[in-house]
Amino acid sequence: MPNFNLPDSVFENAAKAFPTPFFLYDEAGIRQTIRSVKAAFSWAPHFMEYFAVKALPNPEVLRIFVEEGFGLDCASECELMLARRAGAQGKIMFSANDVPSGEFAYANQLGAILNLDDITDIEQILSECGRMPEVISIRFNPGGGFIADNDIIGSPEESKYGWTLAQMREGLKRLKGLGVKKFGIHALLSSNALESAYYPMLAELLMQTAHDLSAESGVEVAFVNLSGGVGIPYLPEEKPVDFSAVGKAVEKAYRKVFGEPTKGNVAICAELGRYMTGPHGWLVTKAIHRKDIYRNYIGVDGCSAQLPRPSIYGAYHHISVVGKRDATHTEVYDVVGSLCENSDKFAVQRQLPKVEMGDILLIHDAGAHCYAMGHNYNGRLRCAEIMLKENGELRMIRRAETPEDYFATLL
Ligand SMILES: *Cc1c(COP(=O)(O)O)cnc(C)c1O
């Protein structure tokens, strides 16, 4: 079930205070999710969630994670700069791949843990940083298919990420010779997984693999990083993941492999993105055209340049009409933006209440991988981001782009 925690009055007030379209994020909701994740892993020694910056790269949002004691997961120079600005130095995971020259050195300078996507990263780090850090992380690719709850929920074999087991065996020996004292293990084997077995199955695989590699190489295990990939219920009939049950199941796997989760024993990390902020954001947009041909269309003032997931993946985002939550859904519409692309549809053949021009539509679950994936196709501009603060204040945390921004890179 999509998130309906905020009353319509919040969106009505926001749409009076700021021109549509804009994203609205709920700070209290984000903090609530942060605390529930913390609680689910309170049994773990040194639990650390590094929020995946790419999901919602706004420093005001990132600062919430830092304030709550969490870190940030980065994959590029600009994301590292954002993490620095958010005050996350010393609590950064650098999980990049195909890394451009110079980025390992910058990450290292910020005290980030370097998560090596490939065995050849060793040479690049040596040449950029002078030596290997004492603690490093290795991204594992087990190959084959990844199965949880009897379903294939990932295909590591087709994925470009990570090291093979044979490479990890060989690489750890090499790393030990280069002065590495401890290693972490990392894998991201699914995306938007609603199966509660995803994290526990992944945990067991990573823990067992790390345990065996450590016994073989003599390099100690510092942490197991379960990364991201936990899903959210975009569809009305979907249920949220029971995260406290997930925490308990991961603890069971931990005890099996590493014994008592006492202080000083192996740490648990995560790089959740979507799960942390996805439900706590909405694209707020206004109905501006109605068109009736073979189908009935509602044209809104937002488009897929601001929220491309439906146009790229055919992803479902729930839509509600402000002030008409309980109205009967008598109509069937395609809800569309203005791009000269027929894929620019927020909804296809969707049952909705009757929409009048000027109605405010909410595109739900837009708090992760939405603004961040925006673009300027057709000369359309990215919109503003507004934060509903815990005290009820609405604050603009990023202005909308202007034509000056669009032309700023031309020489
Ligand atoms: C995208 C990504 C994440 C976050 O994924 P979500 O699906 O948003 O949880 C975490 N770690 C890495 C390395 C990623 O690429």
Side-chain angles (χ1 to χ4, degrees), residues 358-405:
D359 277 355
I360 301 295
L361 273 62
L362 305 180
I363 319 280
H364 288 250
D365 302 304
H369 308 298
C370 287
Y371 181 93
M373 295 183 91
H375 53 76
N376 286 134
Y377 191 60
N378 251 178
R380 292 290 169 206
L381 305 174
R382 294 178 188 82
C383 65
E385 297 181 292
I386 312 291
M387 179 86 85
L388 173 65
K389 304 286 293 173
E390 272 188 306
N391 64 8
E393 178 201 348
L394 289 166
R395 186 189 297 165
M396 187 181 292
I397 57 171
R398 190 198 301 266
R399 67 166 172 80
E401 286 178 339
T402 64
E404 286 70 31
D405 296 315

mmCIF file of all heavy atoms in Angstrom, residues 358-405:
data_model
loop_
_atom_site.group_PDB
_atom_site.id
_atom_site.type_symbol
_atom_site.label_atom_id
_atom_site.label_comp_id
_atom_site.label_asym_id
_atom_site.label_seq_id
_atom_site.Cartn_x
_atom_site.Cartn_y
_atom_site.Cartn_z
ATOM 1 N N GLY A 358 -7.116 22.122 -12.655
ATOM 2 C CA GLY A 358 -6.715 22.793 -11.420
ATOM 3 C C GLY A 358 -6.593 21.846 -10.244
ATOM 4 O O GLY A 358 -6.003 22.207 -9.219
ATOM 5 N N ASP A 359 -7.132 20.641 -10.377
ATOM 6 C CA ASP A 359 -6.965 19.648 -9.294
ATOM 7 C C ASP A 359 -5.484 19.340 -9.104
ATOM 8 O O ASP A 359 -4.707 19.321 -10.074
ATOM 9 C CB ASP A 359 -7.696 18.340 -9.640
ATOM 10 C CG ASP A 359 -9.186 18.397 -9.304
ATOM 11 O OD1 ASP A 359 -9.623 19.416 -8.726
ATOM 12 O OD2 ASP A 359 -9.910 17.432 -9.647
ATOM 13 N N ILE A 360 -5.125 19.080 -7.845
ATOM 14 C CA ILE A 360 -3.745 18.690 -7.535
ATOM 15 C C ILE A 360 -3.663 17.166 -7.486
ATOM 16 O O ILE A 360 -4.422 16.521 -6.755
ATOM 17 C CB ILE A 360 -3.298 19.283 -6.171
ATOM 18 C CG1 ILE A 360 -3.388 20.815 -6.197
ATOM 19 C CG2 ILE A 360 -1.887 18.825 -5.815
ATOM 20 C CD1 ILE A 360 -2.449 21.482 -7.172
ATOM 21 N N LEU A 361 -2.759 16.623 -8.268
ATOM 22 C CA LEU A 361 -2.546 15.174 -8.271
ATOM 23 C C LEU A 361 -1.244 14.855 -7.542
ATOM 24 O O LEU A 361 -0.247 15.567 -7.710
ATOM 25 C CB LEU A 361 -2.473 14.635 -9.709
ATOM 26 C CG LEU A 361 -3.819 14.262 -10.362
ATOM 27 C CD1 LEU A 361 -4.725 15.470 -10.492
ATOM 28 C CD2 LEU A 361 -3.582 13.598 -11.716
ATOM 29 N N LEU A 362 -1.266 13.794 -6.753
ATOM 30 C CA LEU A 362 -0.063 13.341 -6.062
ATOM 31 C C LEU A 362 0.437 12.066 -6.715
ATOM 32 O O LEU A 362 -0.311 11.099 -6.852
ATOM 33 C CB LEU A 362 -0.357 13.039 -4.589
ATOM 34 C CG LEU A 362 -0.997 14.166 -3.778
ATOM 35 C CD1 LEU A 362 -1.224 13.706 -2.349
ATOM 36 C CD2 LEU A 362 -0.098 15.404 -3.815
ATOM 37 N N ILE A 363 1.696 12.092 -7.131
ATOM 38 C CA ILE A 363 2.336 10.863 -7.605
ATOM 39 C C ILE A 363 3.082 10.319 -6.383
ATOM 40 O O ILE A 363 4.022 10.963 -5.898
ATOM 41 C CB ILE A 363 3.333 11.131 -8.756
ATOM 42 C CG1 ILE A 363 2.774 12.162 -9.739
ATOM 43 C CG2 ILE A 363 3.759 9.833 -9.412
ATOM 44 C CD1 ILE A 363 1.794 11.697 -10.742
ATOM 45 N N HIS A 364 2.633 9.192 -5.872
ATOM 46 C CA HIS A 364 3.135 8.666 -4.599
ATOM 47 C C HIS A 364 4.473 7.942 -4.736
ATOM 48 O O HIS A 364 4.891 7.580 -5.837
ATOM 49 C CB HIS A 364 2.112 7.680 -4.016
ATOM 50 C CG HIS A 364 0.880 8.353 -3.489
ATOM 51 N ND1 HIS A 364 0.587 8.429 -2.142
ATOM 52 C CD2 HIS A 364 -0.126 8.990 -4.128
ATOM 53 C CE1 HIS A 364 -0.569 9.076 -2.000
ATOM 54 N NE2 HIS A 364 -1.020 9.434 -3.176
ATOM 55 N N ASP A 365 5.108 7.722 -3.586
ATOM 56 C CA ASP A 365 6.349 6.938 -3.500
ATOM 57 C C ASP A 365 7.428 7.497 -4.427
ATOM 58 O O ASP A 365 8.111 6.751 -5.139
ATOM 59 C CB ASP A 365 6.064 5.455 -3.807
ATOM 60 C CG ASP A 365 5.023 4.902 -2.838
ATOM 61 O OD1 ASP A 365 5.256 5.002 -1.628
ATOM 62 O OD2 ASP A 365 3.967 4.420 -3.298
ATOM 63 N N ALA A 366 7.557 8.817 -4.390
ATOM 64 C CA ALA A 366 8.505 9.510 -5.269
ATOM 65 C C ALA A 366 9.718 10.012 -4.487
ATOM 66 O O ALA A 366 10.403 10.937 -4.902
ATOM 67 C CB ALA A 366 7.803 10.666 -5.968
ATOM 68 N N GLY A 367 10.011 9.359 -3.346
ATOM 69 C CA GLY A 367 11.107 9.826 -2.495
ATOM 70 C C GLY A 367 12.455 9.185 -2.799
ATOM 71 O O GLY A 367 13.441 9.482 -2.138
ATOM 72 N N ALA A 368 12.510 8.276 -3.775
ATOM 73 C CA ALA A 368 13.801 7.662 -4.121
ATOM 74 C C ALA A 368 13.849 7.381 -5.611
ATOM 75 O O ALA A 368 12.865 6.927 -6.197
ATOM 76 C CB ALA A 368 14.003 6.357 -3.345
ATOM 77 N N HIS A 369 15.001 7.637 -6.204
ATOM 78 C CA HIS A 369 15.226 7.362 -7.627
ATOM 79 C C HIS A 369 14.216 8.095 -8.513
ATOM 80 O O HIS A 369 13.838 7.574 -9.577
ATOM 81 C CB HIS A 369 15.200 5.851 -7.905
ATOM 82 C CG HIS A 369 16.104 5.057 -7.008
ATOM 83 N ND1 HIS A 369 17.458 5.241 -6.992
ATOM 84 C CD2 HIS A 369 15.853 4.100 -6.074
ATOM 85 C CE1 HIS A 369 18.004 4.420 -6.104
ATOM 86 N NE2 HIS A 369 17.050 3.731 -5.531
ATOM 87 N N CYS A 370 13.728 9.246 -8.092
ATOM 88 C CA CYS A 370 12.770 10.008 -8.907
ATOM 89 C C CYS A 370 13.404 11.324 -9.326
ATOM 90 O O CYS A 370 13.885 11.444 -10.439
ATOM 91 C CB CYS A 370 11.463 10.197 -8.151
ATOM 92 S SG CYS A 370 10.516 8.656 -8.082
ATOM 93 N N TYR A 371 13.462 12.324 -8.405
ATOM 94 C CA TYR A 371 14.164 13.561 -8.761
ATOM 95 C C TYR A 371 15.537 13.222 -9.359
ATOM 96 O O TYR A 371 15.958 13.806 -10.368
ATOM 97 C CB TYR A 371 14.350 14.477 -7.543
ATOM 98 C CG TYR A 371 15.056 15.754 -7.935
ATOM 99 C CD1 TYR A 371 14.325 16.880 -8.292
ATOM 100 C CD2 TYR A 371 16.445 15.807 -8.046
ATOM 101 C CE1 TYR A 371 14.970 18.033 -8.739
ATOM 102 C CE2 TYR A 371 17.094 16.947 -8.492
ATOM 103 C CZ TYR A 371 16.344 18.055 -8.830
ATOM 104 O OH TYR A 371 16.980 19.176 -9.279
ATOM 105 N N ALA A 372 16.211 12.275 -8.691
ATOM 106 C CA ALA A 372 17.595 11.938 -9.043
ATOM 107 C C ALA A 372 17.750 11.459 -10.480
ATOM 108 O O ALA A 372 18.815 11.606 -11.081
ATOM 109 C CB ALA A 372 18.119 10.865 -8.091
ATOM 110 N N MET A 373 16.709 10.884 -11.042
ATOM 111 C CA MET A 373 16.809 10.362 -12.410
ATOM 112 C C MET A 373 16.308 11.370 -13.438
ATOM 113 O O MET A 373 16.269 11.067 -14.638
ATOM 114 C CB MET A 373 16.006 9.064 -12.542
ATOM 115 C CG MET A 373 16.562 7.935 -11.700
ATOM 116 S SD MET A 373 15.642 6.397 -11.947
ATOM 117 C CE MET A 373 16.575 5.683 -13.265
ATOM 118 N N GLY A 374 15.920 12.542 -12.997
ATOM 119 C CA GLY A 374 15.356 13.555 -13.883
ATOM 120 C C GLY A 374 16.329 14.000 -14.966
ATOM 121 O O GLY A 374 17.535 13.768 -14.893
ATOM 122 N N HIS A 375 15.803 14.626 -15.991
ATOM 123 C CA HIS A 375 16.628 15.047 -17.131
ATOM 124 C C HIS A 375 16.018 16.282 -17.794
ATOM 125 O O HIS A 375 15.016 16.820 -17.302
ATOM 126 C CB HIS A 375 16.773 13.886 -18.126
ATOM 127 C CG HIS A 375 15.450 13.291 -18.550
ATOM 128 N ND1 HIS A 375 14.619 13.910 -19.443
ATOM 129 C CD2 HIS A 375 14.813 12.153 -18.168
ATOM 130 C CE1 HIS A 375 13.539 13.161 -19.618
ATOM 131 N NE2 HIS A 375 13.625 12.099 -18.850
ATOM 132 N N ASN A 376 16.611 16.718 -18.871
ATOM 133 C CA ASN A 376 16.178 17.948 -19.541
ATOM 134 C C ASN A 376 15.666 17.703 -20.953
ATOM 135 O O ASN A 376 15.661 18.610 -21.788
ATOM 136 C CB ASN A 376 17.329 18.967 -19.607
ATOM 137 C CG ASN A 376 17.609 19.611 -18.273
ATOM 138 O OD1 ASN A 376 18.759 19.711 -17.868
ATOM 139 N ND2 ASN A 376 16.584 20.050 -17.573
ATOM 140 N N TYR A 377 15.250 16.487 -21.253
ATOM 141 C CA TYR A 377 14.766 16.158 -22.591
ATOM 142 C C TYR A 377 13.643 17.109 -22.997
ATOM 143 O O TYR A 377 12.818 17.494 -22.160
ATOM 144 C CB TYR A 377 14.273 14.708 -22.594
ATOM 145 C CG TYR A 377 13.999 14.155 -23.974
ATOM 146 C CD1 TYR A 377 15.009 14.086 -24.935
ATOM 147 C CD2 TYR A 377 12.741 13.692 -24.317
ATOM 148 C CE1 TYR A 377 14.764 13.579 -26.188
ATOM 149 C CE2 TYR A 377 12.478 13.172 -25.567
ATOM 150 C CZ TYR A 377 13.500 13.127 -26.507
ATOM 151 O OH TYR A 377 13.255 12.617 -27.755
ATOM 152 N N ASN A 378 13.620 17.465 -24.257
ATOM 153 C CA ASN A 378 12.588 18.389 -24.774
ATOM 154 C C ASN A 378 12.724 19.792 -24.183
ATOM 155 O O ASN A 378 11.795 20.594 -24.232
ATOM 156 C CB ASN A 378 11.173 17.883 -24.460
ATOM 157 C CG ASN A 378 10.434 17.380 -25.697
ATOM 158 O OD1 ASN A 378 9.313 16.912 -25.585
ATOM 159 N ND2 ASN A 378 11.021 17.469 -26.868
ATOM 160 N N GLY A 379 13.884 20.068 -23.565
ATOM 161 C CA GLY A 379 14.044 21.385 -22.949
ATOM 162 C C GLY A 379 13.154 21.582 -21.732
ATOM 163 O O GLY A 379 12.884 22.727 -21.336
ATOM 164 N N ARG A 380 12.705 20.488 -21.144
ATOM 165 C CA ARG A 380 11.936 20.591 -19.895
ATOM 166 C C ARG A 380 12.889 20.666 -18.715
ATOM 167 O O ARG A 380 13.983 20.097 -18.755
ATOM 168 C CB ARG A 380 10.982 19.396 -19.738
ATOM 169 C CG ARG A 380 9.856 19.386 -20.751
ATOM 170 C CD ARG A 380 8.855 20.503 -20.479
ATOM 171 N NE ARG A 380 7.928 20.629 -21.602
ATOM 172 C CZ ARG A 380 7.292 21.745 -21.919
ATOM 173 N NH1 ARG A 380 7.485 22.854 -21.202
ATOM 174 N NH2 ARG A 380 6.466 21.771 -22.927
ATOM 175 N N LEU A 381 12.481 21.339 -17.671
ATOM 176 C CA LEU A 381 13.382 21.642 -16.562
ATOM 177 C C LEU A 381 13.006 20.853 -15.314
ATOM 178 O O LEU A 381 11.844 20.523 -15.107
ATOM 179 C CB LEU A 381 13.333 23.144 -16.264
ATOM 180 C CG LEU A 381 13.642 24.030 -17.477
ATOM 181 C CD1 LEU A 381 13.436 25.505 -17.125
ATOM 182 C CD2 LEU A 381 15.064 23.795 -17.989
ATOM 183 N N ARG A 382 14.024 20.541 -14.522
ATOM 184 C CA ARG A 382 13.758 19.858 -13.247
ATOM 185 C C ARG A 382 13.055 20.817 -12.292
ATOM 186 O O ARG A 382 13.265 22.028 -12.345
ATOM 187 C CB ARG A 382 15.055 19.363 -12.624
ATOM 188 C CG ARG A 382 15.745 18.259 -13.418
ATOM 189 C CD ARG A 382 17.046 17.864 -12.735
ATOM 190 N NE ARG A 382 17.843 16.949 -13.520
ATOM 191 C CZ ARG A 382 18.657 17.310 -14.505
ATOM 192 N NH1 ARG A 382 18.790 18.586 -14.837
ATOM 193 N NH2 ARG A 382 19.356 16.409 -15.172
ATOM 194 N N CYS A 383 12.218 20.262 -11.420
ATOM 195 C CA CYS A 383 11.397 21.116 -10.544
ATOM 196 C C CYS A 383 12.020 21.264 -9.162
ATOM 197 O O CYS A 383 13.078 20.711 -8.882
ATOM 198 C CB CYS A 383 9.981 20.561 -10.462
ATOM 199 S SG CYS A 383 9.888 18.951 -9.673
ATOM 200 N N ALA A 384 11.336 21.996 -8.301
ATOM 201 C CA ALA A 384 11.840 22.256 -6.951
ATOM 202 C C ALA A 384 11.620 21.052 -6.040
ATOM 203 O O ALA A 384 10.836 20.148 -6.347
ATOM 204 C CB ALA A 384 11.134 23.480 -6.364
ATOM 205 N N GLU A 385 12.349 21.055 -4.925
ATOM 206 C CA GLU A 385 12.152 20.068 -3.867
ATOM 207 C C GLU A 385 11.798 20.813 -2.587
ATOM 208 O O GLU A 385 12.486 21.767 -2.208
ATOM 209 C CB GLU A 385 13.419 19.236 -3.646
ATOM 210 C CG GLU A 385 13.823 18.398 -4.846
ATOM 211 C CD GLU A 385 15.070 17.568 -4.572
ATOM 212 O OE1 GLU A 385 16.145 18.175 -4.425
ATOM 213 O OE2 GLU A 385 14.973 16.342 -4.488
ATOM 214 N N ILE A 386 10.716 20.379 -1.941
ATOM 215 C CA ILE A 386 10.231 21.011 -0.715
ATOM 216 C C ILE A 386 10.289 19.997 0.415
ATOM 217 O O ILE A 386 9.925 18.839 0.209
ATOM 218 C CB ILE A 386 8.740 21.462 -0.862
ATOM 219 C CG1 ILE A 386 8.510 22.223 -2.165
ATOM 220 C CG2 ILE A 386 8.274 22.232 0.370
ATOM 221 C CD1 ILE A 386 9.150 23.575 -2.253
ATOM 222 N N MET A 387 10.749 20.440 1.590
ATOM 223 C CA MET A 387 10.768 19.542 2.750
ATOM 224 C C MET A 387 9.700 19.966 3.728
ATOM 225 O O MET A 387 9.635 21.126 4.129
ATOM 226 C CB MET A 387 12.135 19.610 3.439
ATOM 227 C CG MET A 387 12.234 18.738 4.669
ATOM 228 S SD MET A 387 12.705 17.068 4.271
ATOM 229 C CE MET A 387 14.482 17.284 4.238
ATOM 230 N N LEU A 388 8.849 19.022 4.113
ATOM 231 C CA LEU A 388 7.944 19.230 5.244
ATOM 232 C C LEU A 388 8.744 18.901 6.490
ATOM 233 O O LEU A 388 9.037 17.737 6.760
ATOM 234 C CB LEU A 388 6.715 18.319 5.136
ATOM 235 C CG LEU A 388 5.779 18.316 6.354
ATOM 236 C CD1 LEU A 388 5.130 19.680 6.565
ATOM 237 C CD2 LEU A 388 4.719 17.233 6.219
ATOM 238 N N LYS A 389 9.141 19.963 7.220
ATOM 239 C CA LYS A 389 9.971 19.763 8.402
ATOM 240 C C LYS A 389 9.136 19.105 9.503
ATOM 241 O O LYS A 389 7.910 19.113 9.464
ATOM 242 C CB LYS A 389 10.523 21.103 8.900
ATOM 243 C CG LYS A 389 11.314 21.886 7.857
ATOM 244 C CD LYS A 389 12.676 21.290 7.592
ATOM 245 C CE LYS A 389 13.577 21.414 8.823
ATOM 246 N NZ LYS A 389 14.858 20.688 8.616
ATOM 247 N N GLU A 390 9.838 18.574 10.503
ATOM 248 C CA GLU A 390 9.121 17.914 11.604
ATOM 249 C C GLU A 390 8.180 18.877 12.322
ATOM 250 O O GLU A 390 7.144 18.469 12.836
ATOM 251 C CB GLU A 390 10.134 17.365 12.617
ATOM 252 C CG GLU A 390 10.584 15.969 12.280
ATOM 253 C CD GLU A 390 11.432 15.371 13.389
ATOM 254 O OE1 GLU A 390 12.426 16.021 13.772
ATOM 255 O OE2 GLU A 390 11.096 14.269 13.855
ATOM 256 N N ASN A 391 8.521 20.181 12.343
ATOM 257 C CA ASN A 391 7.682 21.160 13.035
ATOM 258 C C ASN A 391 6.549 21.678 12.150
ATOM 259 O O ASN A 391 5.853 22.620 12.512
ATOM 260 C CB ASN A 391 8.538 22.330 13.553
ATOM 261 C CG ASN A 391 9.181 23.111 12.413
ATOM 262 O OD1 ASN A 391 8.868 22.881 11.228
ATOM 263 N ND2 ASN A 391 10.077 24.031 12.743
ATOM 264 N N GLY A 392 6.365 21.090 10.982
ATOM 265 C CA GLY A 392 5.248 21.468 10.116
ATOM 266 C C GLY A 392 5.586 22.534 9.091
ATOM 267 O O GLY A 392 4.800 22.806 8.186
ATOM 268 N N GLU A 393 6.786 23.119 9.215
ATOM 269 C CA GLU A 393 7.211 24.160 8.270
ATOM 270 C C GLU A 393 7.505 23.532 6.900
ATOM 271 O O GLU A 393 8.041 22.421 6.813
ATOM 272 C CB GLU A 393 8.486 24.816 8.832
ATOM 273 C CG GLU A 393 9.103 25.892 7.963
ATOM 274 C CD GLU A 393 10.588 26.131 8.283
ATOM 275 O OE1 GLU A 393 11.071 25.635 9.326
ATOM 276 O OE2 GLU A 393 11.253 26.781 7.480
ATOM 277 N N LEU A 394 7.118 24.259 5.845
ATOM 278 C CA LEU A 394 7.451 23.815 4.487
ATOM 279 C C LEU A 394 8.651 24.620 4.023
ATOM 280 O O LEU A 394 8.587 25.848 3.970
ATOM 281 C CB LEU A 394 6.269 24.065 3.541
ATOM 282 C CG LEU A 394 5.043 23.177 3.738
ATOM 283 C CD1 LEU A 394 3.846 23.758 2.986
ATOM 284 C CD2 LEU A 394 5.311 21.751 3.272
ATOM 285 N N ARG A 395 9.745 23.933 3.709
ATOM 286 C CA ARG A 395 10.943 24.668 3.302
ATOM 287 C C ARG A 395 11.440 24.179 1.946
ATOM 288 O O ARG A 395 11.580 22.981 1.713
ATOM 289 C CB ARG A 395 12.049 24.490 4.339
ATOM 290 C CG ARG A 395 13.264 25.368 4.018
ATOM 291 C CD ARG A 395 14.447 25.053 4.883
ATOM 292 N NE ARG A 395 14.192 25.317 6.291
ATOM 293 C CZ ARG A 395 14.962 24.862 7.272
ATOM 294 N NH1 ARG A 395 16.006 24.119 7.006
ATOM 295 N NH2 ARG A 395 14.670 25.153 8.519
ATOM 296 N N MET A 396 11.714 25.157 1.053
ATOM 297 C CA MET A 396 12.266 24.787 -0.242
ATOM 298 C C MET A 396 13.729 24.401 -0.046
ATOM 299 O O MET A 396 14.510 25.183 0.495
ATOM 300 C CB MET A 396 12.151 25.949 -1.239
ATOM 301 C CG MET A 396 12.561 25.528 -2.646
ATOM 302 S SD MET A 396 12.484 26.860 -3.854
ATOM 303 C CE MET A 396 10.738 27.144 -3.951
ATOM 304 N N ILE A 397 14.097 23.196 -0.430
ATOM 305 C CA ILE A 397 15.482 22.746 -0.250
ATOM 306 C C ILE A 397 16.225 22.648 -1.584
ATOM 307 O O ILE A 397 17.399 22.334 -1.614
ATOM 308 C CB ILE A 397 15.544 21.414 0.525
ATOM 309 C CG1 ILE A 397 14.746 20.315 -0.163
ATOM 310 C CG2 ILE A 397 15.057 21.607 1.958
ATOM 311 C CD1 ILE A 397 14.948 18.932 0.453
ATOM 312 N N ARG A 398 15.514 22.885 -2.689
ATOM 313 C CA ARG A 398 16.152 23.064 -3.986
ATOM 314 C C ARG A 398 15.163 23.813 -4.866
ATOM 315 O O ARG A 398 13.997 23.451 -4.931
ATOM 316 C CB ARG A 398 16.491 21.723 -4.638
ATOM 317 C CG ARG A 398 17.381 21.883 -5.882
ATOM 318 C CD ARG A 398 17.378 20.651 -6.772
ATOM 319 N NE ARG A 398 17.818 19.434 -6.125
ATOM 320 C CZ ARG A 398 19.075 18.955 -6.150
ATOM 321 N NH1 ARG A 398 20.015 19.602 -6.788
ATOM 322 N NH2 ARG A 398 19.368 17.825 -5.548
ATOM 323 N N ARG A 399 15.626 24.874 -5.509
ATOM 324 C CA ARG A 399 14.721 25.626 -6.380
ATOM 325 C C ARG A 399 14.535 24.897 -7.697
ATOM 326 O O ARG A 399 15.310 24.003 -8.052
ATOM 327 C CB ARG A 399 15.267 27.037 -6.613
ATOM 328 C CG ARG A 399 16.560 27.066 -7.411
ATOM 329 C CD ARG A 399 16.883 28.468 -7.924
ATOM 330 N NE ARG A 399 18.209 28.528 -8.525
ATOM 331 C CZ ARG A 399 18.523 28.129 -9.746
ATOM 332 N NH1 ARG A 399 17.602 27.594 -10.536
ATOM 333 N NH2 ARG A 399 19.750 28.251 -10.207
ATOM 334 N N ALA A 400 13.523 25.282 -8.423
ATOM 335 C CA ALA A 400 13.312 24.728 -9.762
ATOM 336 C C ALA A 400 14.387 25.276 -10.702
ATOM 337 O O ALA A 400 14.909 26.376 -10.489
ATOM 338 C CB ALA A 400 11.929 25.118 -10.277
ATOM 339 N N GLU A 401 14.726 24.509 -11.731
ATOM 340 C CA GLU A 401 15.649 25.008 -12.745
ATOM 341 C C GLU A 401 14.977 26.122 -13.547
ATOM 342 O O GLU A 401 13.755 26.176 -13.674
ATOM 343 C CB GLU A 401 16.058 23.880 -13.701
ATOM 344 C CG GLU A 401 17.025 22.888 -13.089
ATOM 345 C CD GLU A 401 17.377 21.741 -14.032
ATOM 346 O OE1 GLU A 401 16.608 21.480 -14.984
ATOM 347 O OE2 GLU A 401 18.413 21.110 -13.807
ATOM 348 N N THR A 402 15.822 27.006 -14.088
ATOM 349 C CA THR A 402 15.341 28.088 -14.950
ATOM 350 C C THR A 402 15.997 27.917 -16.326
ATOM 351 O O THR A 402 16.958 27.156 -16.453
ATOM 352 C CB THR A 402 15.769 29.459 -14.385
ATOM 353 O OG1 THR A 402 17.215 29.515 -14.420
ATOM 354 C CG2 THR A 402 15.282 29.647 -12.954
ATOM 355 N N PRO A 403 15.500 28.626 -17.335
ATOM 356 C CA PRO A 403 16.177 28.547 -18.645
ATOM 357 C C PRO A 403 17.670 28.898 -18.541
ATOM 358 O O PRO A 403 18.489 28.325 -19.261
ATOM 359 C CB PRO A 403 15.420 29.580 -19.485
ATOM 360 C CG PRO A 403 14.042 29.573 -18.899
ATOM 361 C CD PRO A 403 14.251 29.391 -17.410
ATOM 362 N N GLU A 404 18.049 29.782 -17.616
ATOM 363 C CA GLU A 404 19.476 30.129 -17.446
ATOM 364 C C GLU A 404 20.276 28.878 -17.086
ATOM 365 O O GLU A 404 21.398 28.688 -17.565
ATOM 366 C CB GLU A 404 19.670 31.199 -16.362
ATOM 367 C CG GLU A 404 19.253 32.606 -16.753
ATOM 368 C CD GLU A 404 17.740 32.768 -16.888
ATOM 369 O OE1 GLU A 404 16.984 32.070 -16.166
ATOM 370 O OE2 GLU A 404 17.301 33.572 -17.738
ATOM 371 N N ASP A 405 19.702 28.019 -16.222
ATOM 372 C CA ASP A 405 20.402 26.776 -15.870
ATOM 373 C C ASP A 405 20.568 25.896 -17.110
ATOM 374 O O ASP A 405 21.604 25.287 -17.322
ATOM 375 C CB ASP A 405 19.613 25.992 -14.804
ATOM 376 C CG ASP A 405 19.500 26.747 -13.492
ATOM 377 O OD1 ASP A 405 20.524 27.302 -13.054
ATOM 378 O OD2 ASP A 405 18.401 26.783 -12.914
#
